[in-house]
């Protein structure tokens, strides 16, 4: 059973830059893992931000970007805004199943 | 516009079953996967399984034997049936759309399932 690991929490100042990562217990994350990133605020369903590692949806703010970094999937927020405070989840494909990371609670302070 | 609209809250008893629906509209229903994801109170997201464009299903190992996902192409509905419910099945259940190749985009609003006697 694949385990996907994210930082439990991160804090960033408004206007700053922060990178969230997503690691797989099976080894280095590659484009074959089709990494997706989602943002979730309390009481709301998840909102898709990034698909297939680095592709943005039409509604994804330009300050969000996805990449592969040091064997992990990564989500970078540049010029963080107060409204970016939320929980962020990555999702990786593993075999013919999908596995979510445990989520990163991002605090903007 | 694309919409996934889910059925309302459910309060089944332990040991019973629950069937949650997801009404798709605004796109070609048979061209996309539909996934089911749940979130227990205060917890993270958990992938449960999917129905592919051809109607074939694939379930997370944890739920095999207890879950059935089906679709009706005449009404563009997808269903998730979970049996032998326990208290730890209490969660919000979501449907989500994927275009082949890992392109997740739209989500349903969620359905609260509370297992309680």
């Amino acid at each position: 059973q694949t385990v996907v690991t994210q930082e439990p929490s991160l804090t960033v100042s408004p206007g700053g830059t922060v990178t969230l990562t997503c690691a797989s217990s099976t080894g280095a994350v590659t484009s074959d893992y089709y990494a997706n990133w989602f943002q979730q605020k309390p009481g709301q369903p998840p909102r898709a931000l990034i698909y297939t590692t680095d592709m943005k949806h039409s509604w994804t703010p330009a300050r969000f970007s996805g990449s592969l970094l040091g064997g992990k999937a990564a989500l970078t927020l540049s010029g963080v805004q107060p409204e970016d405070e939320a929980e962020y989840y990555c999702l990786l494909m593993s075999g013919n199943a999908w596995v979510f990371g445990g989520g990163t609670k991002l605090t903007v302070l | 516009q694309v919409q996934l609209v889910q059925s309302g809250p459910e309060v089944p008893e332990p040991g019973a079953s629950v069937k949650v629906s997801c009404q798709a509209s605004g796109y070609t229903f048979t061209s996309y996967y539909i996934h089911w994801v749940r979130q227990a109170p205060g917890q993270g997201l958990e992938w449960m399984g999917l129905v592919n464009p051809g109607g074939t299903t694939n379930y997370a190992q944890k739920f095999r034997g207890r879950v059935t996902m089906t679709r009706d192409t005449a009404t563009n509905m997808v269903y998730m049936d979970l049996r032998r419910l326990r208290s730890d099945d209490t969660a919000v259940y979501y449907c989500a759309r994927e275009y082949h190749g890992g392109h997740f985009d739209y989500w349903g609003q969620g359905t609260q399932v509370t297992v309680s006697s």
Side-chain angles (χ1 to χ4, degrees):
Chain A
Q1 173 83 359
T2 301
V3 176
V4 177
T5 302
Q6 300 181 241
E7 297 86 0
S9 63
L10 291 169
T11 300
V12 62
S13 300
T17 296
V18 65
T19 297
L20 290 63
T21 67
C22 176
S24 173
S25 63
T26 60
V29 176
T30 67
S31 59
D32 292 338
Y33 284 69
Y34 300 103
N36 279 253
W37 290 92
F38 303 93
Q39 177 192 65
Q40 189 179 34
K41 296 182 178 179
Q44 297 181 16
R47 181 174 79 131
L49 292 174
I50 299 290
Y51 62 96
T52 59
T53 304
D54 57 4
M55 299 301 293
K56 298 180 187 182
H57 294 281
S58 58
W59 55 78
T60 303
R63 61 184 180 274
F64 290 85
S65 63
S67 64
L68 295 176
L69 196 63
K72 301 177 184 180
L75 176 70
T76 299
L77 289 71
S78 304
V80 171
Q81 301 296 306
E83 61 265 28
D84 297 333
E85 183 162 295
E87 193 86 22
Y88 291 84
Y89 293 94
C90 67
L91 175 64
L92 301 180
M93 193 174 80
S94 177
N96 58 357
W98 291 85
V99 184
F100 281 97
T104 296
K105 181 173 176 54
L106 182 66
T107 300
V108 181
L109 202 56
Chain B
Q1 73 282 21
V2 175
Q3 283 194 299
L4 298 175
V5 179
Q6 299 183 222
S7 48
E10 302 270 5
V11 187
E13 293 187 348
S17 300
V18 70
K19 193 169 190 174
V20 180
S21 67
C22 175
Q23 172 76 68
S25 62
Y27 70 96
T28 303
F29 180 67
T30 51
S31 294
Y32 288 79
Y33 295 70
I34 291 289
H35 295 250
W36 288 92
V37 174
R38 75 178 187 180
Q39 187 169 36
Q43 303 300 309
L45 302 173
E46 181 175 31
W47 183 79
M48 298 180 68
L50 63 84
V51 181
N52 77 10
T56 302
T57 54
N58 184 25
Y59 305 134
Q61 189 165 1
K62 173 178 178 176
F63 297 102
R64 285 177 200 160
R66 209 160 66 92
V67 72
T68 302
M69 297 175 187
T70 56
R71 67 173 193 175
D72 183 340
T73 56
T75 57
N76 288 2
M77 292 280 277
V78 186
Y79 300 94
M80 188 283 299
D81 190 349
L82 189 61
R83 301 177 290 281
R84 302 192 299 277
L85 291 166
R86 308 183 293 254
S87 58
D88 61 359
D89 291 315
T90 293
V92 177
Y93 289 76
Y94 295 101
C95 59
R97 189 182 83 154
E98 179 213 349
Y99 188 69
H100 180 70
H103 183 158
F104 285 77
D105 50 18
Y106 292 91
W107 289 64
Q109 83 275 20
T111 295
Q112 176 68 54
V113 174
T114 304
V115 181
S116 173
S117 54

